[in-house]
Every structure is written in C-alpha cells, then in structure tokens.
Amino acid sequence: MSTFTANDSMSIHQPSEQEFDQVPRDHRDIIHRKSRSFSVASRLLPRAVRTDVQKLYAWCRWCDDAVDSTPSRDIALARWQQLRDDVDRIYRGERPIHPASHWLAELVARYPIERQLPLDLLEGMHMDLSLGRIADQEALLRYCYHAAGVVGMMMCRLFGLSDPNADRHAKSLGIAMQLTNIARDVCEDALRGRCYLPCTWMEQRQETSLPSDVPKAVERVLVLADAHYAIGESGMHYLPAHVRRSVRIAAAVYREIGQEIRRRECQVLEARTVVPIRSFVFAATTALIRGSIRDIRRALIPNRENSLPAFNNPMEMMMNDAKYIAYLGLSLTAFMATGLFLLVMLNPKDASYSYLPLIYAFVSFGVGVITNLLAKRAETSRATSVTDHVSV
C-alpha cells in the first residue's frame, strides 16, 4: 500500500535499478506525476515553506515507490536498506549516497526533524514487504501511523511546530488520509496480493481471495477515518494562519474520496473510485468556509472551552439550556432577516428604499453572529469531544 496513493492510474510500474538511481532533478516532477491533488494543495502554501513541503513529499514518495514496486522482495529489501542507511548517514552529518536522500538531508539541516520520524516512515515500508494480512484495528492504526501519520508530524516541523498536542492532531490527520487510501485501493492492493482490511472485520479469511463482506469492512474503515479527520480538524488552530488553508483543502479533498466511495455503496472491487472535479471544488470550498467560521469563533472567544463556567446543580443547567435556546433562536431569526433585507435590496418596491435594506442586512447579520457565538458559549452541557472517544 503506497504511503501516498494519489496516482492517476492503477498500473503497477516496476522501476529498474537504473531508474531507482535516476532521481529527477526537480522534486516537483514527482509531485506532478504522482499526485495532482497534493500538487494543487501545495500551491496554496506560502512560498517560504512550499518548496520544503514539496521536497519532503518527493522524498517520501520516491522511497515508497522504490520499495513498493519492485520485481522481487530481495531487491525491495536491498533498496530499503540503502535508504535507511542514508538516514543514518544524514544524522551523523555525512553525505547520503542515494540522490533522493539529498532532499531529506536539506530538510534535516534546516528543521528539527527527529531521527526517529523518517525511520518510522521507512519502517512502514518494511511492514509492507512482510505484510500478509492486518490482524485487527490496532494493527491497522499502527500501520497507518508508520505510512502517513508520521508524515503529518514531519510536516509540523516544517511549519515551525513542536507542541506534542499539535503532533497528535497532525498524526491523526495523516492516519485519516491513509485510511481513505486503504478504502479506495482495495482492488489495487489485491493485485499485489495484499489486503489492509482487518481480519477481525471479515468472515472469510483466506489469503488468496477477498471476502464477500468487503463493503462492510470498507465502511468501517471510512467511519474510523472520519473520527481521525475530526481530531485533525480540531487541531487546525495550532497551524500558522498562512498554512492552515492549504492543509484544510488537502484534508477536505481526501475526505471527499471517502464520501464518493459511500455514494457508490462501498463497491470498491468493481473499479477505482474517481471523484469528479466539481465535488472536490465543493468540498474544498465548504471546508474553507467552515474553517474560517471556527477561526473567527476562536478569535472572538479565546480558550472558550477553558473559560466556561461549571454547572453544579440542575437549576443552573436548565438556565444554561434556556440561554442556549434563546440565543440560538435570536441568531436564526437575525440570519433570516438578513436574507429578507437582501432580497428587498435586490427587488425594491420603491426607489426611495435606497441603501437602507443593505444597512439593515449588515446590522442583522452582526446580531446573528454575536448571538450565535453566545449560543455556542452556552452550549457547555451539550459539547462533547471526539478526542475523548478515539485514541491512536
């Protein structure tokens, strides 16, 4: 299973030894060939970090392809060992041997990327070489961490983050994306003799065939992915504002793949799921709007979760619920009034209306935003956190 499986075709190319050593001079060549979605998302990053993020992706992807698509397991192990030795050389301050390793060497020289992180990524590729079947959900999440969760943590270093809390959210987002890949690529993986759907989720467990209950297992993978997407989204505020938009778009695009699989009733054995461009655009736009609203709420009410009062008696809780309902009702009324004022402005009954409807619309919209924030503040008793129920 590729760590980054956003390829546009299902053909399995087996690079020769000459191709293994002939790395493109421009790291962007790998990105353009292998992942159009990542290519688009990375262009939204500020120039200061864009090139480094692309180099990290190119190194991860080149290593994965070099190990994953080989004529034999012995060749794959030899390539894996060479790439791992290069990591050791880099952290000893020596020059790596393989050309692709120079991308990693540049990043390690400039960012505090712990040695264990690239080693964990390569360990995931080694797991692929000895993979028979995934035993259970725990083994699935462990594999997803090595395949992609660790990439999210390395990205944090490039973004200037070292907070363990940020790492946790970034790791979950990477895991969510890898789970999406697994759900989408069941058929392609089967051609390689692999299956990443946990055995405990299947009735039939033969090594040589896929069970008939694949759609149910794929749905469970997507449910698990949704939980980790939620954890990833809840930690977006750790990211610098100038990179948050790109990460949100990447997450939304990947999550839309899972939604498309659901729309096809999880029938992933028939053909590879391809998401229409319009669906990607809609998903990305929606994610940006929702994310902007969350950012505004967090800016207006900092540390909202920590500053809310505790309710120690039923009467106080009832009062809180009453406030929530009242504020929510006012908020909805104000937003509806905003729409009506805009309609009046667009279809005035009298020229004397001038710009008054627009002024009223702005005022009512402001009232709607404020009362909506107050409703959220009063929602303590209703609030639950996904992170309390899902752990890696």
Side-chain angles (χ1 to χ4, degrees), residues 251-292:
V253 166
Y254 257 83
R255 196 169 192 174
E256 185 61 24
I257 296 173
Q259 298 305 316
E260 184 67 22
I261 292 173
R262 284 192 171 108
R263 285 191 283 269
R264 301 185 183 192
E265 299 181 346
C266 298
Q267 298 298 328
V268 293
L269 296 179
E270 299 175 359
R272 198 169 195 260
T273 301
V274 178
V275 181
I277 295 296
R278 64 180 181 276
S279 297
F280 277 147
V281 172
F282 179 79
T285 303
T286 303
L288 287 178
I289 293 174
R290 290 176 177 173
S292 298

Side-chain angles (χ1 to χ4, degrees), residues 301-318:
I301 310 178
N303 300 321
R304 177 165 56 93
E305 293 84 355
N306 297 328
S307 62
L308 295 173
F311 299 100
N312 300 316
N313 59 74
M315 181 59 68
E316 197 170 0
M317 295 181 67
M318 290 175 62

Side-chain angles (χ1 to χ4, degrees), residues 40 46 65 72 77 180 190 224 257 274 294 302 315 326 344 348 353:
V40 172
D65 284 350
S72 71
L77 284 172
T180 301
L224 189 59
I257 296 173
V274 178
R294 291 190 187 99
M315 181 59 68
V344 171
Y353 276 40

